[in-house]
Amino acid sequence: MKKIFLLVAAAFGLVISDAAAQKRPGYMNPSQELNTQGQDPVRFGIRAGVNVADWEGETMQSVQDLVEMTNGSVSQQMRTGYHVGGYVAIPVLPGFEIEPGLQYSQKGMVLTGKLPIEQVDFLNANVTITNQAEYIDLPVLVKLYIGEGFHVFAGPQVSYLVSNKVKAEAGALGFNALKQEFDIKSSMRETDVAVTGGLGYKFANGFNISAGYDYGLNSVDKNGSFDTFNRVVKASVGYTF
């Protein structure tokens, strides 16, 4: 009788264990057509990092023309910002994942200039104009692992414009004479479509690092007055739970 009781208890334990396994994310019944023994479950992660953003297109060509006309008194710079958000890692095949994400991302560009008059160089008079574009990015990445932890990724990205302002600053002799912001969101396109790609490395403990590039496909201008596109270089640190 004792042996029968132990056998029943063991069988009952296996049933409970199998039922619990079916509730785990990423579980697939062995009876299904695709054999996924050893497949990783669906996992969630967080990511943050640095953006180095710029514009490319007609507007930037006009800036380059202005730089030449002023003998370098006006210069174009990239805006430094950040991105932060989360993602879902969905295994499809060994070494192959789909990773949809959601993140807040700062983009835009910077122009700086100074008075091109030698007689007043001592004033160090300068003007800085910064486009502060803030987006919510929704990338859907395809990740291919090409070694132990190393991977490449690429995919489409749709971004929603949350805020877009131009900040103007002017000063001389180290003092700020002007600091003002202008809201230009109404004149900018609310949706930005891009392709993004890059490479990264995932450590066994869940930490990961990556470097990527966003290539905007549609003009940031709402009315189509000028063809100018977002370009963003990104460096990220993340953790997959």
Side-chain angles (χ1 to χ4, degrees):
M1 180 67 68
K2 183 176 180 181
K3 290 183 178 179
I4 294 176
F5 176 79
L6 290 175
L7 287 173
V8 171
F12 182 77
L14 288 173
V15 171
I16 295 299
S17 177
D18 183 67
Q22 295 185 38
K23 295 182 181 180
R24 293 199 303 268
Y27 175 84
M28 184 177 289
N29 194 302
S31 64
Q32 294 179 345
E33 291 184 8
L34 180 63
N35 183 3
T36 58
Q37 283 189 339
Q39 180 180 350
D40 292 334
V42 173
R43 297 183 181 276
F44 295 88
I46 55 175
R47 177 176 293 128
V50 177
N51 285 0
V52 182
D54 202 357
W55 284 355
E56 183 177 282
E58 289 183 0
T59 300
M60 292 302 98
Q61 183 57 51
S62 298
V63 170
Q64 292 302 320
D65 294 341
L66 185 59
V67 170
E68 294 177 3
M69 290 173 58
T70 59
N71 294 320
S73 295
V74 175
S75 63
Q76 172 191 352
Q77 299 178 11
M78 303 182 81
R79 183 196 178 194
T80 301
Y82 67 88
H83 61 271
V84 59
Y87 57 88
V88 183
I90 305 172
V92 179
L93 293 170
F96 182 75
E97 293 179 347
I98 294 178
E99 187 183 282
L102 179 69
Q103 63 187 19
Y104 175 84
S105 185
Q106 295 184 324
K107 307 175 187 181
M109 51 83 70
V110 179
L111 291 178
T112 60
K114 63 178 182 179
L115 292 177
I117 304 173
E118 293 183 5
Q119 289 79 359
V120 294
D121 272 352
F122 69 94
L123 292 176
N124 193 28
N126 59 81
V127 177
T128 302
I129 298 175
T130 305
N131 174 246
Q132 301 173 319
E134 322 291 320
Y135 286 87
I136 297 295
D137 291 342
L138 291 89
V140 179
L141 305 178
V142 174
K143 300 181 73 172
L144 177 64
Y145 285 83
I146 55 178
E148 186 64 34
F150 286 102
H151 57 270
V152 294
F153 60 87
Q157 176 175 277
V158 177
S159 303
Y160 176 76
L161 183 63
V162 177
S163 173
N164 198 319
K165 297 180 180 180
V166 170
K167 182 171 71 172
E169 299 174 285
L173 297 174
F175 296 96
N176 288 329
L178 172 69
K179 189 174 184 179
Q180 192 168 357
E181 287 187 349
F182 306 90
D183 192 334
I184 62 169
K185 181 183 176 183
S186 60
S187 63
M188 308 301 281
R189 193 186 299 270
E190 286 191 346
T191 304
D192 187 52
V193 179
V195 291
T196 182
L199 51 85
Y201 185 84
K202 180 181 178 182
F203 298 91
N205 59 6
F207 281 99
N208 58 83
I209 56 175
S210 63
Y213 184 72
D214 294 352
Y215 186 90
L217 299 177
N218 60 264
S219 174
V220 298
D221 175 42
K222 181 179 181 180
N223 301 316
S225 302
F226 54 89
D227 287 329
T228 299
F229 309 89
N230 281 317
R231 303 286 187 259
V232 187
V233 177
K234 299 183 294 190
S236 310
V237 176
Y239 181 77
T240 303
F241 295 95

